[in-house]
Amino acid sequence: AQSVAQPEDQVNVAEGNPLTVKCTYSVSGNPYLFWYVQYPNRGLQFLLKYITGDNLVKGSYGFEAEFNKSQTSFHLKKPSALVSDSALYFCAVRPPYDRGSTLGRLYFGRGTQLTVWP
Amino acid sequence: NAGVTQTPKFRVLKTGQSMTLLCAQDMNHEYMYWYRQDPGMGLRLIHYSVGEGTTAKGEVPDGYNVSRLKKQNFLLGLESAAPSQTSVYFCASSSPGQDYGYTFGSGTRLTVV
C-alpha cells in the first residue's frame, strides 16, 4: 500500500536559519513526489516536484527538495527561512501508472506546521 | 483562468439537513477529487472521478454521495449532515499530462451543529 509519512507535526525555526521539513514514502516503483504549501484559510498550492533526473529539485519561494531513493525520502529545505514561510506543508506521492493505482491520484502526508520566528 | 472554484466558501448546517457542495474546473481535467481536511488528520479522500459519468469511493466515503454529470463539475452531497462531518472540504483536479499533481480549490468550511 502507498503511504507518506511526515514525522514532525511541527517545525520551529528562527528567521534566517536553514529549515528542513521531512518526508518519507512507501511506494513500489519510481513515484512522482510533490510538496504543497497551505497558507491559513487557503487551498493547497504546488511548491515543487520530483519526476526524474537530478535528485535536488528547486521550486517556488527559494525552496528545494532532495530525493533520496535508498532512504525513500523527499525532504523539503530552504537555506534561509523567512517569517512569511510559516504555513502548513504537505508531502505527496503519486505511484507509477503501471502499478494499478487510481490514475493520477496523490497520497498525502498528514502535514507539518512550519513556524518561523522573527 | 479561474482554475478550480468551490461554492459555497462557508456553510453552517443543522444536524440532519442536506446540502450540496459544488466544484467547477475550467482546465478540461479528466480527474476530480473531494478531500476533507481535519486537524491532525491531513487530507483524506472522500470520493473521486476519473471521467464524466464515473465516480468511485475513496478512504472515507460514508455519509457522502457524488455526481459528475458534466466533465467540468463534481458535486459532493451530504444527505443527512452529522457533527462528525464538520470539516474543511477541498476539491482538486488533475489530468494525465499534468505533472504538477493537483490544482486545488480554495475550500469550503462546513460546520454541522
Side-chain angles (χ1 to χ4, degrees), chain A residues 9 32 34 36 38 41-46 49 51 88 90 94 97 102-111, chain B residues 31 33 35 37 40-43 45 48 50 58-59 90 94-96 98-102 104-107 109:
Chain A
D9 292 336
Y32 292 6
F34 303 85
Y36 289 85
Q38 184 182 29
N41 301 312
R42 303 286 297 275
L44 278 72
Q45 300 174 30
F46 169 78
K49 69 179 186 292
I51 305 297
L88 186 58
F90 287 95
R94 190 175 80 186
Y97 286 131
T102 305
L103 296 181
R105 177 182 170 181
L106 296 183
Y107 294 80
F108 289 88
R110 291 193 171 188
Chain B
Y31 312 140
Y33 310 84
Y35 285 86
Q37 184 181 25
M41 302 294 289
L43 293 169
L45 182 64
Y48 62 94
V50 297
E59 304 167 56
F90 286 101
S94 70
S95 89
Q98 179 180 319
D99 65 359
Y100 55 87
Y102 292 173
F104 281 89
S106 58
R109 186 174 295 275

Side-chain angles (χ1 to χ4, degrees), chain A residues 4-43:
Chain A
V4 179
Q6 293 181 241
E8 301 155 318
D9 292 336
Q10 289 196 337
V11 171
N12 300 313
V13 298
E15 188 173 33
N17 284 358
L19 70 87
T20 299
V21 181
K22 296 179 180 178
C23 172
T24 60
Y25 65 91
S26 175
V27 173
S28 300
N30 297 313
Y32 292 6
L33 298 160
F34 303 85
W35 276 100
Y36 289 85
V37 59
Q38 184 182 29
Y39 297 102
N41 301 312
R42 303 286 297 275

Side-chain angles (χ1 to χ4, degrees), chain B residues 60-72:
Chain B
V60 288
D62 294 343
Y64 305 94
N65 56 75
V66 288
S67 64
R68 187 141 179 230
L69 300 180
K70 295 182 179 180
K71 186 177 184 179
Q72 63 268 35

